[in-house]
Structure formats: structure tokens, C-alpha cells
Amino acid sequence: MSLNPALAGRSVTVQVPATSANLGPGFDTLGLALALYDQLEVSVRDEPGVFVEVHGVGEGEVPTDESNLVAQAIAHTFADYNIEMPGLTLVAHNVIPHGRGMGSSGAAIVSGIMAAKGLLEGIVQIDAEDLLRLATEMEGHPDNVAPALFGGLTIAWTTPEGPRHKKLMVHRGVSPLVFVPEHAMSTALARSLQPESVPHEDAVFNLSRSALLIAALIQSPELLLAATEDKLHQSYRAAAMPETNRLITLLRENGLAAVVSGAGPSLLVLASDPGQRLVAAELVAAASETPWQALMLAVDFTGATVTRTGA
């Protein structure tokens, strides 16, 4: 493995959206890209090693060397194509909250893989299938990385040949609202609360709701409340995030399609019109015991982008 001279002086800028996975019944399958973006600048430098500068979320907390998750994703991609990674300078501008169920780790992985794709432009061709494979290898499951890569609403599944996805456009009436608490939640802890098996009737329940949710999101937003019912994961995790669970129950009792965002503890409201979001924000402001930030976001339809900025 030797350093490719074509890499000298190259630099790229990457933008990756936040995501919300599961969306209620679509456990480990459905994901939605949201218009809240981490940005990354990567430059090849003459000296070996990786130098990382972090601004915003994670500043002073996340690693600033080769162990940084973004740097690991770049290295993983270079290694996959058997190309030596050059010395790099990374400047990360982060706004996606960490440990809140908004896909921050998936966004970091996708940022690194997209940066590698841009740096390797003209040297190797990395297509959409490869991007999803590389990201899933690092993340472990494709439900967050698929919408981060491709935008919109994604259905992700795995095959013997690797992960696959289908991107769908969301009805213009769907208005996402994410409530973000001050406290974080470990995805590993959330997953550990899942049972190994579930009752047959619960599995059938979620199959029907997942199918209905696709119809609600792309065609019939008035069905979102019924379509976001879940019996596979949220109830098992409720004890680990009691206020999230209490607020979701309150919102749903008031006719609002509220679910846990990803592994939590943030909660996602899939409003059927912008006015519903204001109602939801007022309910949470009046009923919450701790501070929650209300993010009224659009659906991102573009996904991750990379732009060559040098050489």
C-alpha cells in the first residue's frame, strides 16, 4: 500500500443531515433525514497522521486524533480500497446533538465516508451501494446511515450481498418536530433493554403499522397517529427514559403522532400540518419537568453532499 500522489493538496467539504430512525413501528428499518446539518472540511497535508478540530457539539469532548469516529470512517474507506491514507486535517462544525437519538454517530460515519469519496474522486469510483455498505459495516445497522446518505424517508434492509435501501419522498404536509432533552442516552443501553423475542401478535401489530406508516408519510398524513403505534421497542425502553415516555403519552393522548427518536431520549412528533407543531410545543413546555429544546425541522431530501474545494 503506497500513498497516491494524486491526493496531494486535495480538500473537500461535506454536509450530512441529522436523522430519526424507527419512527415508531419501523424498528431498525425506517429512517427520516432532517434539515439539521453537521459540516466537515478535510484537507490533505504533507505530514502523516490526523489532526481534528471540533467546533460546536462535542468540542472538548470527542477525540481529536485518529480515534475520532470521522477519522476512523475515512480510514475504513481508504483501507477498503487498499489505498494508503495521507496525513489529514479535519475541521468539524457539529450541530447534531450527541447521544440524543438524532443519528450523530451515523452522521459522523457518513461524513468520513463521503469525505473519503471526495478525496478519492478520479482514483476510485464509490457508488451508492458501496457507500451504504461501508457505513453499515461501521454503524452495525443501516436505518440511520441510509437517510443520512440519501435523504428523504428510507426503507433499509439487509441481504446476503449487503445492505440495501429505498428512498421515498415525504408528503409536503408532514412537519417534523424534535424535542431534545439536556440528558443523553446510550444506544447500547437502549438496545440492551430489548427482549430476544416478542409475542406473535406484537409482531403482526408492528407489521401492519409499518405498512400503514409508509402510506401515511408519502400520501395520507392524517393517518400518522395510528400509523406510529409500536409494540416492539418503545415500551421496553420506557423505564430508562421516563420523562420521554410520559411526554409521548401526553402528546398521543392529544392526537399528536409522537414517538421516540432513534434510541432516544429525544422524541419526534410527525405533525400532519405546521399548526400541530405549535400545539405540541405548547404541551411539552407546559408539562415537562426539565428543559427540552423544540426543533421545528423540515425533511431533508438531498442527503449527504461532498464538494471538492482544492486540487
Side-chain angles (χ1 to χ4, degrees):
M1 195 184 290
S2 59
L3 190 61
N4 191 309
L7 289 166
R10 289 195 173 191
S11 58
V12 296
T13 299
V14 176
Q15 179 171 282
V16 180
T19 54
S20 184
N22 303 328
L23 311 181
F27 183 62
D28 276 4
T29 302
L30 300 182
L32 187 67
L34 301 169
L36 183 72
Y37 304 95
D38 280 354
Q39 293 187 319
L40 175 72
E41 298 154 16
V42 181
S43 304
V44 175
R45 58 189 196 139
D46 296 332
E47 303 82 13
V50 179
F51 173 78
V52 184
E53 190 179 305
V54 179
H55 302 279
V57 176
E59 185 174 350
E61 299 171 5
V62 300
T64 55
D65 57 13
E66 289 88 347
S67 65
N68 180 282
L69 186 55
V70 178
Q72 289 184 47
I74 297 174
H76 179 71
T77 307
F78 270 78
D80 190 81
Y81 291 93
N82 202 33
I83 298 172
E84 183 180 349
M85 189 173 78
L88 295 173
T89 298
L90 280 60
V91 182
H93 303 272
N94 297 339
V95 298
I96 302 172
H98 287 181
R100 304 296 197 281
M102 294 187 69
S104 60
S105 66
I109 289 166
V110 168
S111 292
I113 293 169
M114 291 297 289
K117 171 184 166 71
L119 292 171
L120 292 168
E121 184 184 338
I123 300 171
V124 295
Q125 180 64 35
I126 306 177
D127 62 18
E129 202 169 277
D130 288 326
L131 291 170
L132 185 59
R133 173 183 60 82
L134 290 161
T136 304
E137 285 170 358
M138 293 195 67
E139 178 77 343
H141 41 91
D143 55 334
N144 269 121
V145 294
L149 280 166
F150 308 116
L153 168 68
T154 57
I155 307 169
W157 68 98
T158 55
T159 74
E161 295 73 41
R164 298 289 185 265
H165 85 286
K166 174 63 180 176
K167 175 182 175 179
L168 299 169
M169 302 305 279
V170 178
H171 191 285
R172 63 185 180 185
V174 176
S175 303
L177 167 58
V178 182
F179 291 98
V180 186
E182 291 184 327
H183 59 283
M185 176 78 181
S186 161
T187 301
L189 171 61
R191 286 188 167 271
S192 73
L193 301 172
Q194 295 292 126
E196 287 295 317
S197 60
V198 296
H200 178 269
E201 59 266 30
D202 289 356
V204 173
F205 182 95
N206 269 59
L207 283 170
S208 68
R209 298 313 189 275
S210 295
L212 182 61
L213 181 54
I214 299 298
L217 284 169
I218 67 176
Q219 183 179 317
S220 306
E222 71 277 4
L223 296 173
L224 279 166
L225 181 62
T228 48
E229 292 179 310
D230 160 68
K231 290 190 176 181
L232 284 191
H233 66 106
Q234 293 184 141
S235 60
Y236 298 108
R237 297 173 173 181
M241 36 185 146
E243 191 170 17
T244 299
N245 184 58
R246 186 175 64 79
L247 291 173
I248 285 174
T249 301
L250 171 68
L251 289 163
R252 296 188 68 84
E253 286 173 348
N254 281 271
L256 298 158
V259 296
V260 177
S261 180
S266 294
L267 62 93
L268 168 71
V269 176
L270 292 169
S272 57
D273 64 70
Q276 273 197 343
R277 295 200 296 194
L278 298 176
V279 173
E282 289 170 2
L283 280 168
V284 169
S288 57
E289 297 167 356
T290 57
W292 290 70
Q293 182 184 13
L295 300 176
M296 298 194 186
L297 302 172
V299 176
D300 167 84
F301 292 112
T302 304
T305 59
V306 59
T307 308
R308 280 273 294 279
T309 51

